[in-house]
Amino acid sequence: MPNSALDNRTEGGRHPPASEGLWVRVLGENGVQKWVFYIPVVFMTLFLAVPMALTVVWSVFERTQFWMKPGLTLFAYETFFTSARAENYLFSMLHAAIAVVISFALAFPIAVFVRRRIPAALQHRVVLLFILPFMISELVRVFALRPVLGRNGVINTFLMDIGVISEPITVILFSPIGVVIGDVISFMPFMVFAGFLAMEAVQGYVFEVCEDLGARTLRAFREVIVPLAAPGIFAGSVFIFVNSVGGALVPTLLGGPGAVNAGLIVNQAIVAIDFPLAMAISAIMMATLMLLLYIGHRMFDLTKILEPLS
Amino acid sequence: MQDDYGSIWSYRAKWAYLLALVGVLLAPVFYVIYISFNEYGFAARIYEFTLEWYVVVLGDKILVASLEWTGYLALASVLSSVPMGLLAAKFYKRTRHKVAFVTLMLLPLFVPADIMASSLLVYFKNLNRVFEGLSDALGSELFYGWFDLGFLTAWIGQVLYTVPYAFVVILITMSRYRDQQTEAARGCGASAWQAFWQVEFPQIWVGVASSCAFVAILSFNEAPRTALLKGGFDTFANVLVAQMLNIGMSEESYAMAGIMSILSIAIIGSILIYSMARSERLERERRVKAQPLMSQ
Amino acid sequence: MAMKKSDTAAEDITGDLAVETFGVSKSYGQVRAVDEISVKVESGQYFVLLGPSGGGKTTLLRLIGGFVRPDAGRVLLHGQDVSNLPPNKRSTSMVFQSYALFPHMSVEKNVSYGLKLLKLPAPEIAEKVASILELVGLKGYNGRMPHELSGGQQQRVQLARSLVLESDILLLDEPLASLDANLRKDMCHELKRIQEQVGITFIHVTHNQEEALTIADRIAIIADGKMIEEGVPKEIYERPRKKFTADFIGQNNLIDGKIIGIDGNHVTIDLGFATVTVPRSEQSPDKGAEVTVSVPAEMIEITKEAPQDNEVSQFLQVVYEKETYLGFGSQHQILLPDGNGFVAMTKSSGEPFRLTHGDIAYVVWPTAAARLHTS
């Protein structure tokens, strides 16, 4: 005999009332639960997309003593282009490009090696191994280069001790070279991750097919692996490039007088209470970023990077 | 994928290179930690091990206060970024506009810290003005100063910075979860929340915990965004930067850098160890499962 | 121990229909997965949705279960419109193809999950779990974990988990697809036994014909998002109405032709290279209509000499090609005069077959065996 608890359930629980209230019809069956998923989108739009868009608007405002007032003037851009800043920006882009190339040359072969020779289960552990330097503050990692690269640092002391040089090498710190070294140390882990992600696009069998067809390593690399991994490589490169041009930390700590990049100029502008100028440089930076991402997408279809994630 | 015909030495050489690279990235940090334990600081001829500098740092009231603020900020970041990453991962699975959504969520990775922070700075100032105008129009002071530079603004900067990482880590974890299980739970009578909490979460909690650790460390280590967006307090990293630039590298600076590094290494190290232990256990289970299944 | 639905539920039911859909449609982007399907399932029936992969049968099942919301049309369960209700508010339960057991819970916890959500007292839950496990043949397996079970056992646990909730309607989404062939046959009979014992409605999705024919009280053929045909297994197999059904079920030879004469219960068809007489179908096509004739391969007899012209059988002159030995019988590949292929199945008789490639032969079948299709 069915007991009463079951009867109630069959009548009330599993056979719900046919009509629904207005509340349910407006918000959908799950009510609150539906819109809660939009919080990330709303947050990012409000605090990232909107400010980025407005940066362009603010860059054409007029500067006032402590703030700025709405206007339409290219004065900030003029200031930028007619001063040493524009030159510095271009130089910093050059240094950033060098940093990207060095990082790629050092990091990408690791990604290929791991993908090819290390069993799938262990691959993630290698990724974890590179997360370690990534998780140590950039601040500390860059700061730590001072006692290493400096006049009295490890490298100079060592080289002098073994007699290779008699005078300390000063060009590796507080100079563009120091900045490049700093950028490479800072961002190379990310190039390793981007390389891993890029290599997800290259299945194991590709290597075997290459060997089978007799393609020598370098050729296989150039003609097969790099094109397949291109989207990931490009994304990693853009990340390094953009953060090298726009991050003030490295030039501040390692660049010395005169080595500036966009991030540093922006900081200086804000300290000088010239907000339109700061916004103008930011806008130029963001435009550079958008342009790079667009070019990359046209060339490589960056959406392919997402496939391992779905 | 093992190359039976390849040279074992080339394999070992490549491993050596890999480890060397990690070593090069980490070596300067270990060197700093090494110096921080030296009685006589950097560039001294003699080395004498001491914890003195750490004691000095942890005894300094201002530094300890900054450490507290750093902690609050990290906690606030974890409590907001990880759930947001979770919501974003679930949203990603359901939405049809996947590319646009991911672009939006990962954009902070591609906008340098100083650029983002300066734009946000101007944004907050303007928001305040707008809100003030709104308040005045309504004849009250209700909306005054919501976005004054302070904890909230620093927090928003941190969240923007850390959400992409939480999002990606959780997304990768979720990709191994089978949606049929949520459906089966719903079919058994569970509401959406019950299905998540009782069936899905127990299977993804490792990824969620990892992203908590990552977000906490990232927040703790972050300097440029906080520098521009904070008000009324300093974080540990901010103080360190200020010292670096104004005083130069004192023994206390080394100790502070040491504290930050040791903390990060400890957390990531324990995750590494835990995940290795766990995968041993899972591997054993898998071997049991892999016994040939007869038609039963 | 039989688990019957409560008597009060029987009074609840409006009419005999457990499930009814009215013109339900569902699109994914440009693809129309389900295109205005209306189907009726009676209470206590074992109803099978059969069709090719990607044809929409799983989507239809999920529409009934509430895992997918219809773009158009309605879904009724026991006469009530449930189109907007999520799965946990419908009186259906679902069994999935695989990976649907909660891996972090034991068999006992899996099966009792739904009961715990209903906040039933613990002793009652334990009792129900024990009896349902016995019903599905897993007595004593309470403490096992899913990864310790074989494929067949996992499906039984899923079944137990759904049945213990005493829903009136059980939905099964290709439940046997991930099992190996022998196990599939056994589980098939098990499912039927359990359904008959419990007495509730089962709706089972599969692409496997043999499974469908064995187990179903009624079959609906679903392809390209539409319901092609519906009927009892015998009808579907022996007298399919639609050309698609004839093509999909069993092994039938389809030949296109034109009606040249209608005579009482029989129709004369011009196939181009010959004429045949076929029994009339329900649809009444006119003279001159383009139709398709289907002849089951197993009803074909192959002869060397031309058979006598008579009313009870039809024949065609063909060229014999090849025999493929299958064990219980043989399959013969044959060439029609218009160049198309033709297949015949014969049972192994112990005598060697006496035709070889290139021989002229005749295929003969009983007139009543052929069917006429207009669409």
Side-chain angles (χ1 to χ4, degrees):
Chain A
M1 266 315 284
N3 72 33
S4 52
L6 280 180
D7 290 346
N8 293 340
R9 179 178 61 80
T10 340
E11 289 195 34
R14 300 296 257 181
H15 293 274
S19 70
E20 291 155 27
L22 178 66
W23 181 248
V24 172
R25 268 184 277 153
V26 164
L27 284 181
E29 180 54 42
N30 293 326
V32 163
Q33 292 178 5
K34 274 246 167 86
W35 61 252
V36 105
F37 289 98
Y38 284 90
I39 291 179
V41 179
V42 169
F43 184 86
M44 296 303 264
T45 311
L46 271 184
F47 293 110
L48 183 66
V50 169
M52 274 179 76
L54 288 178
T55 303
V56 179
V57 172
W58 293 321
S59 67
V60 297
F61 280 8
E62 293 168 22
R63 181 187 182 179
T64 64
Q65 197 179 18
F66 291 116
W67 187 228
M68 52 187 186
K69 67 175 198 272
L72 193 67
T73 166
L74 293 177
F75 184 69
Y77 288 97
E78 222 182 289
T79 318
F80 176 73
F81 283 112
T82 57
S83 68
R85 295 187 184 88
E87 209 181 306
N88 284 326
Y89 185 81
L90 288 173
F91 267 121
S92 69
M93 281 174 69
L94 178 65
H95 300 142
I98 297 175
V100 168
V101 170
I102 297 179
S103 300
F104 177 78
L106 290 177
F108 192 65
I110 292 185
V112 177
F113 166 63
V114 170
R115 188 85 176 128
R116 193 175 179 194
R117 296 279 180 238
I118 297 185
L122 281 178
Q123 282 180 19
H124 294 119
R125 288 200 205 158
V126 178
V127 177
L128 230 51
L129 203 56
F130 277 92
I131 287 187
L132 190 53
F134 186 65
M135 284 284 153
I136 297 179
S137 172
E138 193 193 333
L139 191 58
V140 173
R141 274 184 288 137
V142 172
F143 162 95
L145 287 176
R146 289 225 249 192
V148 170
L149 298 176
R151 289 183 122 252
N152 296 319
V154 179
I155 291 187
N156 276 323
T157 328
F158 175 71
L159 289 178
M160 287 210 288
D161 280 350
I162 64 171
V164 172
I165 54 172
S166 53
E167 287 277 317
I169 314 174
T170 52
V171 78
I172 51 178
L173 192 58
F174 301 125
S175 67
I177 296 184
V179 171
V180 170
I181 297 179
D183 285 335
V184 170
I185 296 275
S186 262
F187 301 121
M188 188 166 24
F190 206 89
M191 183 54 111
V192 174
F193 300 145
F196 277 133
L197 205 54
M199 288 306 290
E200 298 266 323
V202 182
Q203 312 278 22
Y205 67 77
V206 171
F207 297 112
E208 291 171 355
V209 170
C210 280
E211 277 179 22
D212 203 39
L213 293 176
R216 279 185 20 220
T217 318
L218 205 59
R219 181 153 184 216
F221 195 84
R222 199 163 36 94
E223 289 179 10
V224 178
I225 296 175
V226 171
L228 278 177
I233 299 174
F234 189 81
S237 306
V238 172
F239 176 88
I240 296 181
F241 183 79
V242 160
N243 279 296
S244 298
V245 177
L249 193 72
V250 172
T252 309
L253 290 180
L254 300 178
V260 288
N261 66 8
L264 200 49
I265 307 173
V266 168
N267 272 349
Q268 288 170 349
I270 291 192
V271 166
I273 320 187
D274 188 352
F275 289 101
L277 179 61
M279 293 297 101
I281 305 167
S282 298
I284 295 175
M285 224 355 314
M286 290 195 212
T288 315
L289 165 69
M290 292 297 164
L291 188 66
L292 284 172
L293 285 179
Y294 180 71
I295 294 176
H297 188 60
R298 296 296 293 208
M299 281 174 70
F300 304 115
D301 188 6
L302 295 176
T303 52
K304 290 221 186 93
I305 310 175
L306 298 176
E307 272 156 40
L309 290 177
S310 340
Chain B
M1 251 177 281
Q2 288 300 342
D3 187 3
D4 290 331
Y5 295 98
S7 137
I8 186 76
W9 289 109
S10 122
Y11 180 76
R12 287 188 186 158
K14 291 176 187 165
W15 255 114
Y17 173 69
L18 199 163
L19 293 171
L21 205 63
V22 179
V24 164
L25 289 173
L26 288 176
V29 177
F30 284 120
Y31 185 58
V32 161
I33 296 179
Y34 171 75
I35 297 174
S36 71
F37 286 120
N38 186 6
E39 168 91 42
Y40 300 103
F42 171 62
R45 296 274 153 203
I46 349 168
Y47 188 87
E48 198 178 302
F49 183 89
T50 174
L51 291 175
E52 179 187 339
W53 305 115
Y54 286 87
V55 172
V56 167
V57 165
L58 293 172
D60 184 329
K61 285 216 181 65
I62 300 179
L63 291 179
V64 170
S66 74
L67 208 50
E68 277 178 20
W69 279 107
T70 310
Y72 295 144
L73 203 52
L75 186 65
S77 300
V78 169
L79 290 177
S80 46
S81 292
V82 173
M84 234 196 266
L86 205 52
L87 289 172
K90 289 214 148 270
F91 187 83
Y92 174 78
K93 280 184 144 187
R94 297 182 203 189
T95 184
R96 260 179 289 163
H97 312 286
K98 287 185 161 45
V99 175
F101 180 67
V102 167
T103 312
L104 186 62
M105 293 307 294
L106 296 185
L107 207 50
L109 293 175
F110 292 93
V111 181
D114 302 89
I115 308 287
M116 191 202 295
S118 58
S119 295
L120 272 179
L121 180 64
V122 176
Y123 185 63
F124 288 138
K125 280 200 147 145
N126 279 324
L127 269 184
N128 265 337
R129 284 177 181 229
V130 166
F131 276 38
E132 270 172 32
L134 196 64
S135 274
D136 290 336
L138 293 173
S140 81
E141 289 196 1
L142 186 60
F143 296 118
Y144 269 56
W146 279 17
F147 292 101
D148 276 343
L149 290 183
F151 191 78
L152 178 69
T153 51
W155 179 18
I156 293 178
Q158 295 286 35
V159 171
L160 280 177
Y161 171 53
T162 53
V163 157
Y165 295 98
F167 174 59
V168 169
V169 171
I170 292 181
L171 199 61
I172 293 179
T173 314
M174 273 191 176
S175 69
R176 292 189 217 126
Y177 172 74
R178 311 267 175 178
D179 285 325
Q180 284 109 306
Q181 302 202 358
T182 303
E183 291 180 343
R186 296 301 304 271
C188 285
S191 69
W193 167 255
Q194 284 169 323
F196 171 74
W197 187 245
Q198 293 167 347
V199 173
E200 184 170 4
F201 189 77
Q203 296 179 56
I204 60 169
W205 75 266
V206 176
V208 174
S210 308
S211 67
C212 283
F214 291 159
V215 169
I217 295 176
L218 287 171
S219 167
F220 186 78
N221 287 336
E222 204 276 323
R225 294 168 187 84
T226 340
L228 270 183
L229 296 173
K230 66 173 170 60
F233 66 94
D234 280 321
T235 64
F236 202 65
N238 293 149
V239 175
L240 184 55
V241 174
Q243 282 194 356
M244 264 187 226
L245 297 178
N246 299 325
I247 308 176
M249 294 182 316
S250 66
E251 289 81 2
E252 283 96 345
S253 307
Y254 279 99
M256 288 173 73
I259 291 177
M260 286 174 75
S261 312
I262 292 173
L263 200 61
S264 304
I265 295 175
I267 296 180
I268 296 292
S270 27
I271 292 183
L272 251 170
I273 295 174
Y274 176 78
S275 90
M276 290 206 289
R278 191 162 177 263
S279 59
E280 297 290 308
R281 185 170 50 85
L282 290 177
E283 196 50 46
R284 261 181 276 129
E285 265 176 35
R286 223 167 282 146
R287 262 178 251 135
V288 170
K289 253 195 280 187
Q291 300 292 348
L293 295 173
M294 279 155 291
S295 303
Q296 310 170 18
Chain C
M1 176 175 125
M3 304 282 282
K4 294 254 190 263
K5 53 190 189 323
S6 65
D7 294 337
T8 42
E11 285 156 25
D12 242 4
I13 297 165
T14 346
D16 256 335
L17 293 174
V19 177
E20 202 178 343
T21 71
F22 282 106
V24 278
S25 298
K26 180 73 190 174
S27 301
Y28 290 105
Q30 303 287 50
V31 177
R32 198 92 159 156
V34 169
D35 194 359
E36 287 182 35
I37 295 187
S38 300
V39 77
K40 292 184 169 59
V41 178
E42 285 175 17
S43 289
Q45 243 182 14
Y46 202 121
F47 197 89
V48 172
L49 300 175
L50 174 64
S53 298
K57 52 193 193 305
T58 297
T59 312
L60 180 61
L61 194 74
R62 288 161 67 81
L63 280 164
I64 296 173
F67 300 100
V68 162
R69 230 198 194 129
D71 294 331
R74 293 185 297 151
V75 176
L76 273 66
L77 299 178
H78 295 298
Q80 283 178 346
D81 190 339
V82 297
S83 313
N84 285 320
L85 295 182
N88 52 323
K89 295 227 164 75
R90 298 197 190 195
S91 52
T92 53
S93 282
M94 181 95 132
V95 171
F96 295 83
Q97 186 175 333
S98 57
Y99 298 116
L101 288 185
F102 309 137
H104 57 295
M105 297 187 191
S106 65
V107 165
E108 166 115 34
K109 288 218 174 75
N110 260 287
V111 174
S112 60
Y113 181 70
L115 298 175
K116 288 220 188 86
L117 287 171
L118 292 168
K119 298 199 172 52
L120 295 182
E124 195 181 326
I125 293 184
E127 195 195 314
K128 284 181 186 290
V129 168
S131 67
I132 205 77
L133 283 179
E134 198 177 333
L135 176 73
V136 300
L138 286 178
K139 185 169 172 178
Y141 276 68
N142 304 45
R144 301 276 185 101
M145 297 298 284
H147 67 261
E148 294 169 357
L149 301 174
S150 71
Q153 288 168 336
Q154 287 184 11
Q155 292 304 72
R156 288 174 199 252
V157 175
Q158 262 207 77
L159 205 54
R161 184 174 65 185
S162 298
L163 287 173
V164 84
L165 296 170
E166 296 176 15
S167 352
D168 308 305
I169 303 162
L170 193 65
L171 308 174
L172 301 101
D173 187 2
E174 307 218 34
L176 308 179
S178 58
L179 307 177
D180 63 65
N182 277 331
L183 184 56
R184 209 179 300 156
K185 290 204 178 88
D186 292 336
M187 278 299 290
C188 212
H189 292 295
E190 273 294 287
L191 282 174
K192 184 76 179 176
R193 169 186 79 78
I194 293 171
Q195 189 264 342
E196 281 171 351
Q197 197 171 341
V198 176
I200 65 178
T201 314
F202 271 37
I203 305 183
H204 176 141
V205 159
T206 182
H207 60 265
N208 183 320
Q209 299 178 25
E210 210 184 300
E211 201 173 295
L213 294 169
T214 313
I215 204 175
D217 290 333
R218 223 171 153 77
I219 300 179
I221 311 277
I222 311 273
D224 271 334
K226 295 195 174 18
M227 181 161 84
I228 309 287
E229 193 172 333
E230 193 210 323
V232 296
K234 199 167 154 78
E235 264 172 42
I236 296 277
Y237 188 84
E238 293 178 12
R239 309 229 66 82
R241 266 166 287 144
K242 299 276 176 178
K243 184 164 133 183
F244 181 90
T245 315
D247 202 11
F248 184 70
I249 306 267
Q251 192 147 35
N252 296 304
N253 294 294
L254 277 73
I255 318 174
D256 294 329
K258 204 161 162 168
I259 300 185
I260 54 176
I262 307 185
D263 172 28
N265 283 327
H266 288 84
V267 177
T268 317
I269 315 272
D270 176 15
L271 301 174
F273 49 89
T275 56
V276 290
T277 306
V278 175
R280 241 173 119 168
S281 58
E282 295 171 358
Q283 314 103 355
S284 315
D286 295 321
K287 212 155 129 172
E290 308 264 350
V291 293
T292 308
V293 176
S294 73
V295 186
E298 66 262 25
M299 304 291 255
I300 309 279
E301 202 194 314
I302 310 176
T303 60
K304 259 195 154 158
E305 300 82 30
Q308 294 280 353
D309 227 350
N310 62 34
E311 290 198 353
V312 293
S313 62
Q314 306 290 314
F315 69 89
L316 295 173
Q317 186 186 61
V318 296
V319 172
Y320 186 79
E321 293 219 289
K322 178 168 127 142
E323 175 185 3
T324 308
Y325 179 65
L326 295 173
F328 61 84
S330 292
Q331 188 184 71
H332 304 274
Q333 242 116 300
I334 286 159
L335 200 57
L336 292 175
D338 66 353
N340 284 329
F342 195 86
V343 173
M345 303 273 275
T346 57
K347 287 222 264 284
S348 294
S349 61
E351 286 177 24
F353 196 72
R354 278 171 291 121
L355 284 170
T356 53
H357 184 97
D359 286 351
I360 304 282
Y362 295 85
V363 290
V364 192
W365 67 85
T367 310
R371 288 93 72 176
L372 190 63
H373 309 287
T374 46
S375 62

